[in-house]
Amino acid sequence: MGSDGADAFADKVENDKKASIHFDPARGLVALRAWAQEWLERQVVGESTRRNYEGFIRNHLGPRLGRKTLAGLARRDFEEFAKDLHAPGEGLAVSTVNDRMVMVAALMEAAVVDKRITENPARGIRISRRDAVAVDEDAVPTPAEVDLIAAHITPHFRLAVYLQSGTGQRPSEALAFSTECRRSGFVRIRWQVSAKAHPEDCQTPFVPLKHRLEKECRDIPTALFVEQEIDTHLRRWKLVPVVFTGQKGKRIRLETFFAPRQPGAGVMPSIASYGYQFKKACLLAGLVDLDGKAKYTPRSLRHFFASNALANGVPIHEVSRWLGHRSVKTTVDIYAHLLPSAWERCREVLQRSMRPVTPNVMSLPSEEASSRVGDRAV
């Protein structure tokens, strides 16, 4: 237990004594990792939710804070933990981080109820969407780097790289690509791969898009190179039919591009498996940071699509709709700072408004131009 945590805990105990509250300090000496497991065993939740919680405790909460005792945890521990979860190394989305922090607050609240601690240091911990989502300019690959990733990734996922970079799809949406998506000059996105699509016993490999109902979709224009990559994929790989039951009980059949072809491989590739192959491709292509880690993630391809469209004058409300953002404000918060060309346009517009210059004056040397302007004024 750190000195600050110990002092804070001692103050709490002393205050409790003065308030005649019966509290045994020894009950707060259990490690967070052990308490989290005990708490989870008592929860009545769905199987997929339980797996998500178990994975979060095993991969994030345990390694970072698991050795600390309940009594030794301070609010700043959870604030730093939540902030680090969204750092590039972890890559969790803001919504995911905040959702998991609700779980952490619940397990700490249970410790309060069990009289192991007097206050919940994780209550209300969130990270700000506005502060967290603005993309770093270095997180956007160049066109040449996109081609390098596509050239080095396992061939089966090459098309996914171009679907993301060419249409801005999320990884889960690109992996759900099927023949029903392809239209003349655009793609229609209606499904994404579910988080549990890869187990062999999965009955619902596809779910509706983020923030959308099952019947909703979005259309995105396709450049010629995307069409060519789709054709190349079809010449090399056969489509795989996947039948599943939709949310309304209707049986649905999709001819999918990325479903595994070998027996026992599961229904659909997981986002994790695609992410692993993506990272491997970056390493093979030499796209690494100063620590030798992969410089980009699949999310970087979405940034590539959006930043290139916006930098070349595509209206931001259109880009926002193609990305599937809930509101255009989200798009502005993420990408507005990557548009230095807007600065120059602003300078030109204001200059023309405040100090308009006629073409014949602009072509004259400065002294002669001043003389001509003076003559006209007289």
Side-chain angles (χ1 to χ4, degrees):
M1 184 188 307
S3 59
D4 292 339
D7 291 342
F9 182 59
D11 290 340
K12 292 177 186 178
V13 173
E14 188 62 30
N15 291 332
D16 289 341
K17 288 180 180 178
K18 292 177 181 179
S20 299
I21 297 174
H22 298 291
F23 182 77
D24 182 4
R27 291 179 59 77
L29 298 180
V30 62
L32 176 61
R33 180 185 286 109
W35 175 252
Q37 293 296 338
E38 181 181 335
W39 172 84
L40 185 57
E41 290 173 2
R42 299 199 302 265
Q43 303 310 300
V44 180
V45 295
E47 189 57 36
S48 62
T49 300
R50 184 175 298 279
R51 283 199 301 266
N52 288 338
Y53 285 176
E54 288 174 344
F56 180 77
I57 292 171
R58 180 177 62 254
N59 299 325
H60 301 287
L61 186 63
R64 176 65 188 269
L65 299 175
R67 292 184 179 181
K68 290 198 172 190
T69 64
L70 295 176
L73 286 160
R75 186 171 183 82
R76 70 173 174 273
D77 292 319
F78 292 105
E79 289 174 341
E80 293 174 359
F81 174 63
K83 181 180 178 181
D84 291 344
L85 283 174
H86 189 67
E90 299 290 354
L92 297 183
V94 176
S95 58
T96 301
V97 173
N98 290 337
D99 178 70
R100 293 298 180 265
M101 290 309 299
V102 170
M103 182 210 80
V104 173
L107 71 86
M108 293 301 293
E109 190 65 32
V112 174
V113 173
D114 204 41
K115 292 187 169 128
R116 294 181 178 275
I117 53 177
T118 58
E119 295 180 359
N120 183 352
R123 183 180 297 149
I125 299 292
R126 301 286 187 278
I127 58 174
S128 168
R129 176 172 293 276
R130 182 177 181 84
D131 292 340
V133 298
V135 66
D136 186 341
E137 187 173 0
D138 292 336
V140 182
T142 65
E145 288 175 327
V146 171
D147 284 335
L148 273 175
I149 295 170
H152 286 85
I153 202 167
T154 182
H156 188 208
F157 284 137
R158 175 186 170 94
L159 175 59
V161 171
Y162 286 114
L163 287 175
Q164 282 202 265
S165 60
T167 63
Q169 294 181 56
R170 298 179 175 93
S172 58
E173 296 167 347
L175 294 178
F177 198 74
S178 66
T179 53
E180 80 153 19
C181 298
R182 192 178 191 186
R183 306 300 170 101
S184 178
F186 67 96
V187 291
R188 173 161 293 172
I189 309 303
R190 190 186 304 275
W191 304 99
Q192 64 178 340
V193 172
S194 72
K196 54 184 179 180
H198 57 287
E200 294 180 44
D201 60 349
C202 176
Q203 299 299 313
T204 311
F206 299 103
V207 294
L209 302 179
K210 187 176 181 180
H211 309 313
R212 299 293 185 269
L213 300 176
E214 186 174 290
K215 64 180 181 180
E216 295 180 301
C217 63
R218 72 177 191 271
D219 295 340
I220 311 168
T222 49
L224 179 59
F225 78 90
V226 177
E227 301 282 355
Q228 292 171 337
E229 289 293 338
I230 294 174
D231 290 336
T232 299
H233 185 97
L234 288 174
R235 284 195 295 268
R236 181 167 186 179
W237 308 95
K238 292 182 179 179
L239 297 169
V240 177
V242 174
V243 179
F244 64 102
T245 303
Q247 291 182 335
K248 296 183 179 180
K250 181 182 178 181
R251 298 288 285 171
I252 300 170
R253 175 189 170 104
L254 297 178
E255 300 290 332
T256 63
F257 281 62
F258 297 107
R261 287 149 181 80
Q262 62 272 28
V267 178
M268 291 295 296
S270 67
I271 298 173
S273 64
Y274 172 54
Y276 169 78
Q277 294 295 337
F278 191 95
K279 178 166 64 175
K280 185 178 177 181
C282 286
L283 297 177
L284 291 172
L287 301 176
V288 297
D289 58 20
L290 294 177
D291 296 324
K293 296 181 180 180
K295 187 177 179 181
Y296 302 115
T297 69
R299 189 182 304 173
S300 303
L301 300 180
R302 222 165 117 78
H303 297 329
F304 173 87
F305 169 81
S307 60
N308 274 276
L310 292 170
N312 287 280
V314 179
I316 195 166
H317 69 276
E318 294 285 1
V319 176
S320 181
R321 180 161 57 86
W322 298 334
L323 290 172
H325 285 161
R326 181 175 289 179
S327 74
V328 71
K329 180 181 181 300
T330 301
T331 316
V332 172
D333 289 343
I334 298 175
Y335 299 110
H337 66 292
L338 295 182
L339 304 177
S341 60
W343 298 2
E344 187 59 35
R345 289 199 298 272
C346 179
R347 294 188 188 104
E348 293 175 357
V349 167
L350 289 173
Q351 179 64 30
R352 286 197 299 269
S353 298
M354 298 298 295
R355 300 289 186 270
V357 180
T358 59
N360 61 328
V361 171
M362 291 180 63
S363 63
L364 294 172
S366 58
E367 292 184 2
E368 185 178 351
S370 300
S371 175
R372 294 284 183 87
V373 171
D375 292 343
R376 285 199 297 271
V378 175

